[in-house]
């Protein structure tokens, strides 16, 4: 590509910048080629690169709208603007390093917190087992109480029926006490059935779902 073609192509590529900047750029490179001389013209053109490369460099350098920089053989350069760009890159890299440091810090904190998390989970597990154990104790106690009172009720009623013929008043009292024991027996038997059919399944589902949400981050399957 000769000088005329190079300058025409460069001028066309700079058509989207202001006229004054375009004219200044064309004048600069014409003068620069004139100073180099005809014998060095092609060598200088090769050193400047293609018109596309030179136009791109000029446009990138016009960050201050052409008020503080200057044209050179390699394009338009603004030291203040280029320094600002470098600072922006450094800031971005610093933020990236900071983000990486923060991630490392979070990981270290998680590792240090593992014993406390394990202790808390163990405590919750122990509390759940304790509640289940308490309900199991109530279940066994109510079942034993219901069966015992039912046996006492049968004995009192049978004994009271026998006493009716000898001591009617004593017999009536014994039968009444037997009926009272039978009522209490039915109450404790009802508590036993309720614990077995309602309280225990609900408690087990609650504990399983709670630990499933902690371990898997979602609601566990219903037991």
């Amino acid at each position: 590509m000769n000088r005329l073609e190079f300058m025409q192509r460069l001028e066309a590529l700079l058509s989207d910048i202001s006229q004054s900047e375009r004219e200044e750029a064309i004048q600069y490179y014409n003068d620069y080629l004139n100073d180099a001389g005809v014998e060095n013209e092609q060598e200088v053109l090769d050193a400047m690169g293609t018109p596309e490369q030179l136009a791109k460099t000029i446009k990138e350098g016009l960050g201050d709208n052409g008020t503080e920089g200057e044209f050179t053989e390699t394009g338009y350069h603004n030291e203040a603007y280029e320094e600002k760009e470098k600072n922006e890159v450094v800031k971005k890299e610093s933020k990236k390093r900071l983000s990486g440091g923060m991630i490392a810090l979070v990981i270290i904190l998680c590792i240090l917190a593992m014993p406390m998390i394990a202790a808390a989970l163990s405590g919750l597990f122990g509390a759940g087992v304790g509640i289940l154990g308490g309900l199991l104790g109530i279940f066994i106690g109510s079942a034993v109480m219901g069966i015992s009172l039912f046996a006492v009720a049968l004995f009192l009623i049978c004994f009271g029926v026998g006493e009716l013929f000898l001591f009617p008043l004593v017999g009536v009292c014994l039968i009444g006490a037997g009926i009272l024991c039978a009522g209490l027996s039915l109450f404790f038997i009802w508590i036993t059935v309720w614990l077995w059919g309602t309280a225990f399944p609900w408690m087990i589902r609650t504990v399983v779902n709670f630990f499933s949400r902690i371990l898997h981050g979602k609601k566990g399957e219903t037991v």
Side-chain angles (χ1 to χ4, degrees):
M1 180 179 292
N2 58 37
R3 173 177 176 173
L4 179 60
E5 293 172 340
F6 187 96
M7 297 306 298
Q8 288 178 344
R9 179 60 178 163
L10 179 62
E11 186 174 5
L13 291 170
L14 296 178
S15 60
D16 54 349
I17 66 175
S18 67
Q19 183 177 356
S20 61
E21 290 171 341
R22 183 170 61 254
E23 291 176 352
E24 183 180 356
I26 297 302
Q27 183 63 45
Y28 173 83
Y29 290 109
N30 275 320
D31 293 342
Y32 183 74
L33 289 169
N34 290 335
D35 292 340
V38 178
E39 65 279 4
N40 298 319
E41 186 175 281
Q42 191 59 46
E43 183 179 350
V44 173
L45 289 173
D46 293 339
M48 288 192 298
T50 65
E52 288 77 11
Q53 293 172 337
L54 186 58
K56 180 180 179 182
T57 305
I58 292 171
K59 292 177 182 179
E60 290 177 350
L62 289 172
D64 62 342
N65 296 321
T67 58
E68 297 180 2
E70 61 181 4
F71 288 99
T72 68
E73 63 274 13
T74 58
Y76 186 89
H77 293 281
N78 178 354
E79 293 183 1
Y81 180 76
E82 291 172 357
E83 186 66 25
K84 180 180 178 182
E85 289 293 319
K86 290 180 181 179
N87 292 336
E88 291 294 331
V89 173
V90 171
K91 288 180 181 179
K92 290 180 180 179
E93 291 179 352
S94 298
K95 288 181 179 179
K96 290 181 180 179
R97 287 196 296 269
L98 181 61
S99 299
M102 289 298 295
I103 292 173
L105 179 61
V106 171
I107 293 174
I108 293 173
L109 290 176
C110 289
I111 293 174
L112 294 176
M114 284 300 294
M116 292 184 289
I117 295 174
L121 291 176
S122 299
L124 292 173
F125 180 76
V129 172
I131 294 173
L132 288 176
L135 288 176
L136 182 62
I138 295 174
F139 169 75
I140 295 174
S142 62
V144 171
M145 184 65 70
I147 295 172
S148 299
L149 286 173
F150 186 75
V152 171
L154 288 178
F155 173 78
L156 290 176
I157 291 173
C158 292
F159 190 74
V161 170
E163 290 293 321
L164 281 176
F165 300 100
L166 299 176
F167 304 100
L169 182 60
V170 174
V172 170
C173 290
L174 290 173
I175 293 172
I179 294 173
L180 177 62
C181 288
L184 292 173
S185 172
L186 292 175
F187 172 74
F188 282 104
I189 290 173
W190 174 80
I191 291 179
T192 302
V193 173
W194 178 79
L195 288 172
W196 180 260
T198 303
F200 279 137
W202 175 82
M203 182 62 67
I204 292 173
R205 284 196 301 269
T206 301
V207 172
V208 170
N209 289 336
F210 176 76
F211 283 101
S212 179
R213 284 195 295 269
I214 292 177
L215 297 176
H216 302 291
K218 60 181 180 179
K219 187 174 181 180
E221 295 180 357
T222 303
V223 178

